[in-house]
Amino acid sequence: MTDTIAVFASARSNGNTKKLIDWISGELAIDVIDLSEKNISPYDYKHNNANDDFMSVMNNILQYKKIIFATPIYWYAASAQMKVFIDRTTDLLEREELKDLGHQLRNKTSYVVCTSASIEADCDFLATFSKTFYYLGIDYQGYIHADCQNGFIADKYSADVVEFIKLVRYEAC
């Protein structure tokens, strides 16, 4: 079993971000969880959403050392599906019976895969991830961004993909 898994969230399951994460996951031979195929409810202070797919997805993710979060950048932020998923990690911090699982996040390493119609990834978008990972005790190792202003042009990203794959493969060996 590989030590890495990807979590993908986008309004388009076949868009630019999906093409990029499929390329990366193919090179790394890792599984990708598509959050649009899951029923994950928004965070609820009363925790009335315990019967959705969040915990099964999280239990799967916790089996891996490295987690790649893949999302397009929409209005300087992650996709709605990714935001809901990240918000739900609060369950692991608040619900007494889940706190041991929440502590397991502290031993993880994370990366971000993103696309946008901009030359560079927005710094506020990246800060949201890096600050969230810091808060959760997850070691953030970096990101790859694809500028898709003119569509997904694989040749433009080849060198970046090679470097990103090296980063994921050889981090903490």
Side-chain angles (χ1 to χ4, degrees):
M1 179 170 112
T2 178
D3 66 348
T4 307
I5 193 163
V7 180
F8 165 71
S10 176
R12 291 190 309 156
S13 287
N14 61 352
N16 297 325
T17 308
K18 180 68 163 137
K19 291 173 186 170
L20 185 57
I21 194 60
D22 281 351
W23 182 2
I24 292 166
S25 66
E27 293 290 328
L28 292 171
I30 63 171
D31 290 334
V32 177
I33 298 170
D34 184 344
L35 293 180
S36 70
E37 297 174 355
K38 306 297 181 186
N39 175 28
I40 300 178
S41 303
Y43 175 75
D44 172 9
Y45 285 97
K46 295 182 181 180
H47 306 294
N48 291 324
N49 50 13
N51 294 324
D52 68 4
D53 293 331
F54 174 75
M55 282 311 304
S56 65
V57 171
M58 187 55 74
N59 282 324
N60 186 9
I61 289 169
L62 288 172
Q63 296 176 48
Y64 296 85
K65 180 182 182 317
K66 302 173 187 176
I67 310 162
I68 299 172
F69 294 85
T71 178
I73 302 173
Y74 294 144
W75 292 100
Y76 315 102
S79 66
Q81 299 91 329
M82 184 64 76
K83 175 71 168 106
V84 166
F85 181 76
I86 291 171
D87 286 351
R88 284 294 298 280
T89 59
T90 305
D91 290 1
L92 304 180
L93 307 175
E94 290 183 346
R95 292 176 56 193
E96 198 59 44
E97 70 275 18
L98 300 178
K99 286 184 179 180
D100 286 340
L101 294 175
H103 290 129
Q104 290 180 36
L105 289 170
R106 293 182 183 156
N107 299 319
K108 307 301 177 191
T109 301
S110 65
Y111 310 84
V112 173
V113 170
C114 57
T115 62
S116 71
S118 298
I119 294 170
E120 305 223 355
D122 180 74
C123 62
D124 293 326
F125 165 86
L126 294 172
T128 299
F129 277 97
S130 65
K131 289 178 180 182
T132 299
F133 297 148
Y134 177 80
Y135 181 79
L136 295 170
I138 299 172
D139 180 29
Y140 176 52
Q141 286 294 307
Y143 72 96
I144 182 173
H145 170 260
D147 171 9
C148 297
Q149 291 180 64
N150 298 311
F152 187 84
I153 305 168
D155 290 344
K156 276 178 59 174
Y157 325 122
S158 294
D160 290 341
V161 168
V162 167
E163 289 305 309
F164 184 78
I165 289 167
K166 285 181 189 175
L167 175 68
V168 174
R169 275 194 181 134
Y170 302 115
E171 177 278 325
C173 287

